[in-house]
Amino acid sequence: MTATVAQLRGRRETVISDRGLRGQGLCRELARVTDEWLAELFDEVKVGSERRVALVAIGGYGRGELAPGSDLDLWLVHDGRSEAEELGALAERLWYPVWDAGLKLGHAVCSLRQGLALAAAELDTATAILSARPVAGDATLAARLAEAAGAQWRKRSSRWLAELGRRVSERHARAGEVAFLLEPDVKEARGGLRDVHALQWAQAARPVLLDGDAAALAVAEATLVAVRVELHRTAGRASDELLLERQDEVAKALGDPDADALMARVAAAGRTVAWTADEVWRRLSSSLAGPLGRLSRRDRPLGPGLVLRDGEVHLEGAADVAADPSVVLRAAAAAAKAGVPIDRPSLERLGAEAPVLDGPWPEGGRGALVDLLATGRAAIPVLEALDQRELLQRVLPEWAPTRSKPQRNAYHRFTVDRHLCEAAANAAGLTSGVARPDLLLVGALLHDLGKGYPGDHTEVGMELMAAVAPRMGFEAEDVATLVELVHHHLLLPDVATRRDLSDDDVIHGVAEAVGSLTTLDLLAALTEADSLATGPSAWGSWKAGLVAELVERVAHVLRGGEARELRGDGFPDATVRRLMAGAGTVVQGSGEVLTVVAPDRPGLFSRVAGALALEGLAVRSADAASGDGRAASQFRVEAGPGGLEWDRVTATVRRALEGRLALDARLSDRSRSSRQVPRGTSLLPAPRVRIDNHASASCTVVEVRAPDRLGLLYRVTTALAELDLDIRLAKVATLGSEVIDTFYLRTAGGRKLADRVDVRELERAVLHATSSPGRRFGEER
């Protein structure tokens, strides 16, 4: 046999290993050499009675999109007059060599009529044969199949497009978004290749793409295919998830400067596909609903040059876009208020004619921006539409560097620009609690603008705000407030989660930094809006409670009161103090909180932390206190997949406190066997330790930042115990894949660590605990 399995493998390997071939070019070449080999095989194994038979490529192979790990989808199509036994024998002679080559094969043997009947009954088959093309045999028969499949698809388009749209929505709910996932699936996620294919199938049924859509989709598709090909190459198998550990390698292979540049391109491609798909499926949904599902075409004026027509905001023909720069923001605000899109021809016209607002804004511009942001979540699709035509950076040139800029860590969910839009949308729901809603909304939209530029994003952001806010028309006092919002946008969450809120000096320090009740209220709302836009681990009841406590005490000081007047119970509260006044050991679990009170001794805190790690419980916060020979600690935990069984957990904690558990050995064994690595860990910097003798009047404050891993809290607190240091208070926070733990420490004599040698030794011990070699990272702490 001339067409041997070794030949197929060799030809494919030649193509795959050719680094001069990338993306769609490689896919086409791989399809060509596969076609060539299959045609040779077909000619060798067919017999004379099989004249009216065609070997047909369908699906991705039919489109010529054959990535290194792609399946081969093949049909053996006949005219209905060939003998079944002969066709079966021919199919075996074709399929087995493909399997022997190690390729996945989707296959069928059917007549032309049978194939069309399958396509009439099954959506997957109907879409697969839209790309049918001949590989070998009777080309006329293959052409008849392709022509009939297209006609049948168009005839049944109403049924199939409704079903296709439903499946697209279900897939989006499962797979997330290409643009915003830390490790996106470039095929299945929203904005991925599967969406491109769905749009191509919809276009084959009826014209659904508008001017410019096909070209934009082609560019986005080329980016995503190129990434997919390199993923298959680097993994040596079918792999469509762009994992963190592969991003640098893929970036290098595609000529990107670094993984950040690659992920920015991927995000931009995903957003283009997702936005185009949203537009198409919205129009199709209206079309499929029929006349009763459409809105009236009667115009409703929306302001100079704008009307609401047929459920869309239209730009009137007489409108002079170049002479009225505010029209972009006014159109966007009108669309968001009405919950409708901007008409596509109008959007294209704005994109072609709108000037750059690099000077003072026209009258009404700032008001329109505030009106737009005040609509909350309704503003996001409108802002996305403006961004697709680069209109946001026309209005605000400083916006450009943030476009699709990735934040490659597990803590942040969105790209920088989308995070800012999400924060502003969240802020819209909080405006009733502040005196100046306009400052809150603009501050939320621009608080992280500095992330698009080199340098410290807060410092750069302050400079940008100082330049942008006056152009918008804000008065000097308001500009100063907006700059302060950028300056202190992390102040409240950082202090609340890392400092002792019962320390009056901490409260007075925040009050001095904030300066006024108006700014404090704005910062409190911005903190919540920003955190909610960051990701699921950035805001919760624990953090919200701490921020609320901090804001209440700072507000009291700003009104002229004393911090001590609102000190409250804090930790330990009255209940815990009563337990501390008793005797023996108390271990209680309730809700998500474990309370432990026992005779004070070195390593008590660390033993509890180790026991919780063994139980698979992630510690999200902890407090500790001691006095009169007794020690108390409270741990707020997050249950693992097995749930929270307090009877078992408290029993394990008691065994640890009694010295009946080999904690270090058990945790080391668990670490070695653990295969779970938190996403984003590989992008984090090395562990850092900051030791501050000025943050507290009575304690040395140690702040530890490190990648999260199994037993980390146990190892750090064990290191502290080995140095005979007393943990007076601990603030434990997990932000995505990184922990930021703060410990208030005293020596055995009740003093701060004043000796520089002791301070260096403390730093050495903690860094060793966070960086010990030979242990895998894990999820629990």
Side-chain angles (χ1 to χ4, degrees):
M1 180 181 289
T2 303
T4 65
V5 170
Q7 281 185 329
L8 176 58
R9 289 175 176 165
R11 294 177 190 180
R12 285 175 54 86
E13 183 56 35
T14 297
V15 174
I16 294 170
S17 61
D18 184 351
R19 290 295 168 175
L21 290 172
R22 295 177 182 172
Q24 292 169 320
L26 182 142
C27 291
R28 287 190 293 268
E29 182 61 15
L30 197 57
R32 186 192 68 78
V33 299
T34 304
D35 285 358
E36 185 180 78
W37 182 85
L38 284 169
E40 293 171 5
L41 177 64
F42 184 89
D43 288 342
E44 288 188 19
V45 301
K46 73 180 180 64
V47 295
S49 59
E50 300 157 348
R51 291 184 298 276
R52 301 287 291 174
V53 176
L55 185 61
V56 180
I58 63 171
Y61 181 29
R63 293 190 298 271
E65 296 175 5
L66 196 61
S70 295
D71 299 354
L72 293 185
D73 292 316
L74 290 166
W75 275 13
L76 190 61
V77 182
H78 58 90
D79 62 359
R81 291 178 288 181
S82 301
E83 293 292 332
E85 186 176 339
E86 292 180 351
L87 289 169
L90 174 60
E92 288 188 2
R93 295 194 294 272
L94 289 170
W95 305 155
Y96 274 97
V98 175
W99 287 323
D100 290 342
L103 301 181
K104 291 182 179 180
L105 176 66
H107 60 89
V109 179
C110 60
S111 68
L112 181 63
R113 180 176 296 179
Q114 289 171 331
L116 292 171
L118 282 172
E122 299 174 358
L123 176 60
D124 289 342
T125 304
T127 55
I129 65 172
L130 288 175
S131 57
R133 62 176 179 80
V135 174
D138 189 343
T140 302
L141 188 61
R144 286 172 57 197
L145 174 66
E147 183 179 355
Q152 183 171 277
W153 175 254
R154 290 186 292 274
K155 182 178 180 180
R156 300 170 184 265
S157 63
S158 294
R159 170 196 170 191
W160 283 137
L161 289 177
E163 172 67 10
L164 182 59
R166 183 183 65 79
R167 290 198 189 183
V168 166
S169 296
E170 291 176 351
R171 176 170 46 79
H172 288 172
R174 292 192 309 270
E177 296 197 47
V178 166
F180 307 127
L181 288 171
L182 186 64
E183 297 177 323
D185 185 323
V186 297
K187 183 178 180 182
E188 297 293 337
R190 180 173 182 265
L193 289 167
R194 190 66 79 193
D195 277 338
V196 176
H197 302 154
L199 291 173
Q200 292 168 346
W201 298 330
Q203 181 72 4
R206 60 181 71 172
V208 294
L209 298 178
L210 302 182
D211 289 347
D213 283 350
L217 285 172
V219 173
E221 182 182 18
T223 296
L224 298 174
V225 169
V227 169
R228 185 172 187 241
V229 165
E230 295 308 322
L231 282 173
H232 287 205
R233 270 175 159 167
T234 58
R237 57 181 174 80
S239 177
D240 299 326
E241 191 174 11
L242 186 49
L243 300 175
L244 280 167
E245 58 262 32
R246 302 215 181 271
Q247 290 173 10
D248 287 309
E249 190 175 1
V250 172
K252 183 178 180 181
L254 295 179
D256 290 288
D258 52 35
D260 280 353
L262 168 70
M263 297 310 293
R265 288 202 301 121
V266 170
R271 290 171 75 166
T272 294
V273 173
W275 180 75
T276 305
D278 287 348
E279 288 275 294
V280 166
W281 292 113
R282 178 184 59 79
R283 292 194 300 269
L284 272 175
S285 178
S286 175
S287 172
L288 294 172
L292 293 178
R294 298 179 193 138
L295 300 175
S296 170
R297 295 187 61 85
R298 190 172 183 179
D299 288 359
R300 178 159 67 88
L302 296 173
L306 299 172
V307 295
L308 180 64
R309 177 185 305 146
D310 199 20
E312 296 177 323
V313 171
H314 286 249
L315 187 65
E316 291 187 303
D320 189 344
V321 176
D324 182 12
S326 70
V327 73
V328 172
L329 292 171
R330 290 194 297 105
K337 284 181 179 179
V340 300
I342 300 173
D343 161 64
R344 271 295 292 279
S346 299
L347 186 65
E348 302 298 344
R349 186 178 163 199
L350 289 172
E353 300 177 15
V356 175
L357 283 179
D358 54 0
W361 280 24
E363 185 177 354
R366 189 182 80 204
L369 174 63
V370 171
D371 288 345
L372 168 62
L373 300 179
T375 63
R377 305 217 64 78
I380 290 179
V382 179
L383 288 167
E384 186 69 25
L386 296 184
D387 184 71
Q388 286 296 318
R389 293 302 175 262
E390 299 185 357
L391 285 164
L392 280 180
Q393 63 194 71
R394 303 273 189 89
V395 172
L396 187 67
E398 291 84 354
W399 187 267
T402 72
R403 291 190 71 217
S404 297
K405 185 175 179 61
Q407 303 189 78
R408 296 175 62 229
N409 57 68
Y411 189 52
H412 287 88
R413 177 184 174 190
F414 296 110
T415 55
V416 174
D417 55 342
R418 181 59 177 267
H419 167 76
L420 292 172
C421 295
E422 292 280 340
N426 294 334
L430 303 170
T431 54
S432 61
V434 300
R436 291 292 302 273
D438 57 335
L439 297 183
L440 173 61
L441 294 169
V442 173
L445 182 69
L446 303 181
H447 74 278
D448 272 346
L449 195 64
K451 286 186 175 180
Y453 298 79
D456 179 271
H457 85 277
T458 297
E459 294 178 1
V460 175
M462 292 169 64
E463 295 175 4
L464 290 169
M465 183 66 87
V468 169
R471 291 210 315 266
M472 290 181 172
F474 284 105
E475 299 293 335
E477 184 178 352
D478 292 340
V479 173
T481 300
L482 286 167
V483 171
E484 283 301 288
L485 291 184
V486 177
H487 183 197
H488 294 305
H489 73 277
L490 297 175
L491 176 66
L492 298 185
D494 283 356
V495 171
T497 58
R498 304 181 202 175
R499 292 294 179 262
D500 182 3
L501 299 188
S502 65
D503 186 335
D504 295 347
D505 290 341
V506 170
I507 304 303
H508 284 288
V510 173
E512 183 179 353
V514 171
S516 72
L517 282 168
T518 298
T519 302
L520 178 65
D521 289 341
L522 288 169
L523 282 173
L526 177 57
T527 295
E528 182 173 350
D530 183 22
S531 298
L532 288 169
T534 297
S537 66
W539 191 253
S541 59
W542 166 72
K543 185 174 179 179
L546 291 177
V547 171
E549 179 185 349
L550 173 61
V551 169
E552 182 183 16
R553 296 195 67 200
V554 171
H556 182 71
V557 170
L558 290 172
R559 293 189 187 101
E562 291 293 331
R564 64 176 181 273
E565 296 168 349
L566 283 185
R567 187 176 297 159
D569 273 350
F571 184 83
D573 60 17
T575 300
V576 175
R577 287 199 299 272
R578 282 196 296 270
L579 294 175
M580 293 177 72
T585 298
V586 179
V587 181
Q588 297 176 344
S590 177
E592 297 179 339
V593 176
L594 174 73
T595 302
V596 177
V597 178
D600 195 7
R601 63 185 184 275
L604 186 68
F605 189 100
S606 65
R607 290 189 184 197
V608 179
L612 293 176
L614 282 179
E615 285 294 329
L617 299 178
V619 176
R620 294 309 180 211
S621 66
D623 290 287
S626 60
D628 298 326
R630 301 279 284 169
S633 56
Q634 276 190 339
F635 294 77
R636 186 175 296 275
V637 302
E638 181 178 304
L644 193 55
E645 298 180 17
W646 278 123
D647 289 343
R648 190 188 70 235
V649 172
T650 55
T652 300
V653 172
R654 285 185 177 277
R655 289 179 63 200
L657 294 177
E658 294 165 1
R660 294 163 48 212
L661 278 181
L663 287 171
D664 196 66
R666 285 176 174 269
L667 288 169
S668 295
D669 290 344
R670 282 277 307 272
S671 294
R672 282 192 293 270
S673 62
S674 175
R675 296 180 180 178
Q676 293 180 318
V677 179
R679 293 185 173 187
T681 297
S682 62
L683 299 176
L684 295 175
R688 292 95 74 205
V689 177
R690 180 172 174 265
I691 300 173
D692 189 344
N693 265 321
H694 303 287
S696 168
S698 59
C699 295
T700 295
V701 178
V702 178
E703 186 175 291
V704 182
R705 300 179 69 112
D708 193 10
R709 61 183 175 87
L710 179 67
L712 178 63
L713 182 60
Y714 164 73
R715 292 187 169 88
V716 171
T717 52
T718 297
L720 299 179
E722 288 175 351
L723 293 175
D724 204 17
L725 294 172
D726 184 21
I727 300 173
R728 302 294 294 182
L729 184 138
K731 294 285 188 178
V732 180
T734 303
L735 308 180
S737 299
E738 187 177 37
V739 300
I740 305 177
D741 297 346
T742 305
F743 303 95
Y744 280 66
L745 306 175
R746 288 182 187 173
T747 66
R751 300 184 301 275
K752 293 184 181 183
L753 276 78
D755 191 290
R756 291 184 180 180
V757 174
D758 291 342
V759 169
R760 286 198 296 270
E761 200 66 15
L762 170 60
E763 181 179 19
R764 177 180 290 114
V766 173
L767 284 175
H768 178 75
T770 58
S771 308
S772 297
R775 296 188 176 107
R776 289 180 177 270
F777 291 129
E779 289 189 333
E780 305 88 4
R781 305 180 56 231

